[in-house]
Coordinates of all heavy atoms in Angstrom, one line a residue:
G1 N 7.1 0.0 8.6 CA 5.8 0.4 9.2 C 4.8 -0.7 9.4 O 3.6 -0.4 9.6
G2 N 5.3 -1.9 9.4 CA 4.4 -3.1 9.6 C 4.4 -3.5 11.1 O 5.1 -3.0 11.9
T3 N 3.5 -4.5 11.4 CA 3.3 -5.0 12.7 C 3.6 -6.5 12.7 O 3.0 -7.2 11.9 CB 1.9 -4.7 13.2 OG1 1.7 -3.3 13.2 CG2 1.7 -5.2 14.6
F4 N 4.5 -6.9 13.6 CA 4.7 -8.3 13.9 C 4.2 -8.7 15.2 O 4.5 -8.0 16.2 CB 6.2 -8.6 13.8 CG 6.6 -10.0 14.2 CD1 6.6 -11.1 13.3 CD2 6.9 -10.3 15.6 CE1 6.9 -12.4 13.8 CE2 7.1 -11.6 16.0 CZ 7.2 -12.6 15.1
V5 N 3.5 -9.8 15.3 CA 3.0 -10.3 16.6 C 3.3 -11.8 16.7 O 2.9 -12.6 15.8 CB 1.4 -10.1 16.7 CG1 1.0 -10.6 18.1 CG2 1.1 -8.6 16.6
Q6 N 4.0 -12.2 17.7 CA 4.1 -13.6 18.1 C 2.9 -13.9 19.0 O 2.8 -13.5 20.1 CB 5.4 -14.0 18.8 CG 5.4 -15.5 19.1 CD 6.7 -16.0 19.6 OE1 7.8 -15.6 19.1 NE2 6.6 -16.7 20.7
A7 N 1.9 -14.6 18.4 CA 0.7 -14.8 19.1 C 0.9 -15.9 20.2 O 1.9 -16.6 20.2 CB -0.4 -15.2 18.1
E8 N -0.1 -16.1 21.0 CA 0.0 -17.1 22.1 C -0.4 -18.5 21.6 O -0.2 -19.5 22.2 CB -0.9 -16.7 23.3 CG -2.4 -16.7 23.0 CD -2.9 -15.3 22.6 OE1 -2.1 -14.6 22.0 OE2 -4.1 -15.0 22.9
S9 N -0.9 -18.5 20.3 CA -1.3 -19.8 19.7 C -1.6 -19.6 18.3 O -1.7 -18.5 17.8 CB -2.5 -20.4 20.4 OG -3.7 -19.6 20.1
E10 N -1.6 -20.7 17.5 CA -2.0 -20.6 16.1 C -3.5 -20.1 16.0 O -3.8 -19.4 15.0 CB -1.9 -22.0 15.5 CG -0.5 -22.5 15.2 CD 0.1 -23.2 16.4 OE1 -0.5 -23.3 17.5 OE2 1.2 -23.8 16.2
V11 N -4.3 -20.5 16.9 CA -5.7 -20.1 16.8 C -5.8 -18.5 16.9 O -6.5 -17.8 16.2 CB -6.6 -20.7 17.9 CG1 -8.0 -20.2 17.9 CG2 -6.6 -22.2 17.6
A12 N -5.0 -18.0 17.9 CA -5.0 -16.6 18.1 C -4.4 -15.9 16.8 O -4.9 -14.8 16.4 CB -4.2 -16.2 19.3
A13 N -3.3 -16.5 16.3 CA -2.6 -15.9 15.1 C -3.6 -15.7 14.0 O -3.6 -14.6 13.3 CB -1.4 -16.7 14.8
I14 N -4.3 -16.7 13.6 CA -5.2 -16.6 12.4 C -6.3 -15.6 12.6 O -6.7 -14.9 11.7 CB -5.7 -18.0 12.0 CG1 -6.3 -17.9 10.5 CG2 -6.7 -18.5 12.9 CD1 -5.3 -17.6 9.5
N15 N -6.8 -15.5 13.9 CA -7.8 -14.5 14.1 C -7.3 -13.1 14.2 O -8.0 -12.2 13.8 CB -8.6 -14.9 15.4 CG -9.5 -16.1 15.2 OD1 -10.6 -15.9 14.6 ND2 -9.2 -17.2 15.7
M16 N -6.0 -12.9 14.5 CA -5.4 -11.6 14.4 C -5.3 -11.2 12.9 O -5.5 -10.1 12.6 CB -4.0 -11.6 15.1 CG -4.1 -11.7 16.6 SD -2.4 -11.9 17.3 CE -2.8 -12.1 19.0
V17 N -4.9 -12.2 12.1 CA -4.8 -11.9 10.7 C -6.2 -11.6 10.1 O -6.4 -10.7 9.3 CB -4.3 -13.2 9.9 CG1 -4.5 -13.1 8.4 CG2 -2.8 -13.3 10.3
Y18 N -7.2 -12.3 10.6 CA -8.6 -12.0 10.2 C -9.0 -10.5 10.6 O -9.5 -9.7 9.8 CB -9.5 -12.9 11.0 CG -11.0 -12.9 10.7 CD1 -11.6 -12.0 9.7 CD2 -11.9 -13.7 11.4 CE1 -12.9 -12.0 9.5 CE2 -13.3 -13.7 11.2 CZ -13.8 -12.8 10.3 OH -15.1 -12.8 10.1
G19 N -8.6 -10.1 11.8 CA -8.9 -8.7 12.2 C -8.1 -7.7 11.4 O -8.7 -6.7 11.0
A20 N -6.8 -7.9 11.2 CA -6.0 -7.0 10.4 C -6.5 -6.9 9.0 O -6.6 -5.8 8.4 CB -4.6 -7.4 10.5
G21 N -6.8 -8.1 8.4 CA -7.3 -8.1 7.0 C -8.6 -7.4 6.9 O -8.9 -6.8 5.8
A22 N -9.5 -7.4 7.9 CA -10.8 -6.7 7.8 C -10.6 -5.2 7.7 O -11.5 -4.5 7.2 CB -11.6 -7.1 9.0
T23 N -9.5 -4.7 8.1 CA -9.2 -3.2 8.0 C -8.6 -2.9 6.6 O -8.4 -1.7 6.4 CB -8.3 -2.8 9.1 OG1 -6.9 -3.2 8.8 CG2 -8.7 -3.2 10.5
G24 N -8.4 -3.9 5.8 CA -7.8 -3.6 4.5 C -6.3 -3.7 4.5 O -5.7 -3.6 3.5
T25 N -5.7 -4.0 5.7 CA -4.3 -4.2 5.7 C -3.9 -5.6 5.1 O -4.6 -6.6 5.3 CB -3.8 -4.2 7.2 OG1 -4.2 -3.0 7.8 CG2 -2.3 -4.4 7.3
L26 N -2.8 -5.6 4.3 CA -2.4 -6.9 3.7 C -1.7 -7.7 4.8 O -0.7 -7.3 5.4 CB -1.4 -6.6 2.6 CG -1.9 -5.8 1.4 CD1 -1.0 -5.9 0.2 CD2 -3.3 -6.2 1.0
A27 N -2.3 -8.9 5.1 CA -2.0 -9.7 6.3 C -1.5 -11.0 5.8 O -2.0 -11.6 4.8 CB -3.1 -9.8 7.2
V28 N -0.5 -11.6 6.6 CA 0.0 -12.9 6.2 C 0.3 -13.7 7.5 O 0.6 -13.1 8.6 CB 1.3 -12.8 5.4 CG1 2.4 -12.0 6.1 CG2 1.9 -14.1 5.0
T29 N 0.2 -15.0 7.5 CA 0.6 -15.8 8.6 C 1.4 -17.0 8.0 O 1.2 -17.3 6.8 CB -0.6 -16.3 9.4 OG1 -0.1 -17.0 10.6 CG2 -1.5 -17.2 8.7
S30 N 2.2 -17.7 8.8 CA 2.9 -18.9 8.3 C 2.8 -19.9 9.4 O 2.7 -19.5 10.6 CB 4.3 -18.6 7.9 OG 5.1 -18.2 9.0

């Protein structure tokens, strides 16, 4: 039930994690 996104850049990826984390979803990036 999770969501995987290959972002267009590292900058985009961390900000997607920021957005997901703000909803209370446990978010991770590597």
Side-chain angles (χ1 to χ4, degrees):
T3 300
F4 170 89
V5 179
Q6 179 173 313
E8 64 269 31
S9 69
E10 287 89 350
V11 174
I14 194 64
N15 283 287
M16 291 175 184
V17 166
Y18 183 5
T23 71
T25 301
L26 301 192
V28 60
T29 188
S30 67

